[in-house]
Amino acid sequence: GGAAPDFVIERRGEVYFIFGTGQAHQEGNIESRGLAIGFKEKISRRCSIGFEHQNDGHPQNDPQQNHRDSFKITSLCEYPIAGGLRLEGGGGLGPTFNTVTRDGQEYDEHAFGKSLIVAIVQQLGRSGWNVRAQGEYTTADRSFHTWTYMLGLGHNLGREGGFKSGGDGGPGRLAI
């Protein structure tokens, strides 16, 4: 007989970069653009936790010249649809930092932000790459709220976990 298989921990994460447009709402609608860079790691077959930096506060026609950055811990669940297409939904919590100009004076406003996230992700074959379309609603205390619609690329980090006989786990794998 052979030796008992070693338990293998594998990376099942993903990184993504998305860019898009949206609307900021504070005393009227203001056109805005946004981008997000994120990382998430699966904690179960369909759920992940992660981190996202979102720059969602560059309104184009804003008399106060807001510039907001959000840093959030995210929790997402996914639902496979078909052929590498999946739907993701969840939320994020974390601090926001807004630089705003009022009457020619610049102010830094710090607040706690909350986000609702919905994404449609299409895997691009077995390459590890995917296309991500994501919508986010972000609100923060004492600040404007935004609807942001973004599109970009993501890349998977590793493969599904499991058991492996032998000792060296290989790339992205740790055999215990």
Side-chain angles (χ1 to χ4, degrees), residues 26-27 30 57 59 61-68 98-109 144:
Q26 179 185 42
E27 300 168 10
I30 302 168
N61 56 340
D62 178 9
Q64 295 186 32
Q65 301 174 8
N66 285 280
H67 176 137
R68 182 171 73 189
N98 186 37
T99 302
V100 61
T101 303
R102 290 188 196 104
D103 301 322
Q105 181 73 28
E106 215 172 76
Y107 299 93
D108 289 321
E109 299 175 341
F144 56 92

Side-chain angles (χ1 to χ4, degrees), residues 12-144:
R12 296 185 299 151
E14 180 182 328
V15 294
Y16 56 89
F17 176 81
I18 50 181
F19 180 80
T21 188
Q23 294 225 337
H25 301 276
Q26 179 185 42
E27 300 168 10
N29 293 337
I30 302 168
E31 294 297 317
S32 182
R33 64 185 182 273
L35 67 86
I37 299 169
F39 164 79
K40 62 188 188 117
E41 182 77 27
K42 282 192 173 185
I43 57 172
S44 72
R45 198 164 149 236
R46 294 215 172 124
C47 294
S48 62
I49 58 171
F51 173 82
E52 183 179 282
H53 167 240
Q54 183 183 13
N55 185 320
D56 65 347
H58 287 279
Q60 304 298 309
N61 56 340
D62 178 9
Q64 295 186 32
Q65 301 174 8
N66 285 280
H67 176 137
R68 182 171 73 189
D69 289 279
S70 303
F71 299 89
K72 59 192 99 164
I73 301 296
T74 60
S75 175
L76 296 168
C77 290
E78 65 182 57
Y79 178 77
I81 298 172
L85 183 67
R86 70 179 186 265
L87 176 67
E88 294 183 1
L93 299 170
T96 67
F97 304 94
N98 186 37
T99 302
V100 61
T101 303
R102 290 188 196 104
D103 301 322
Q105 181 73 28
E106 215 172 76
Y107 299 93
D108 289 321
E109 299 175 341
H110 302 228
F112 186 77
K114 301 160 281 297
S115 294
L116 293 175
I117 302 167
V118 175
I120 297 205
V121 182
Q122 175 65 55
Q123 288 301 131
L124 301 176
R126 295 178 170 253
S127 67
W129 290 96
N130 62 60
V131 175
R132 180 179 197 86
Q134 181 167 306
E136 286 197 33
Y137 173 74
T138 302
T139 183
D141 302 330
R142 302 179 314 277
S143 184
F144 56 92

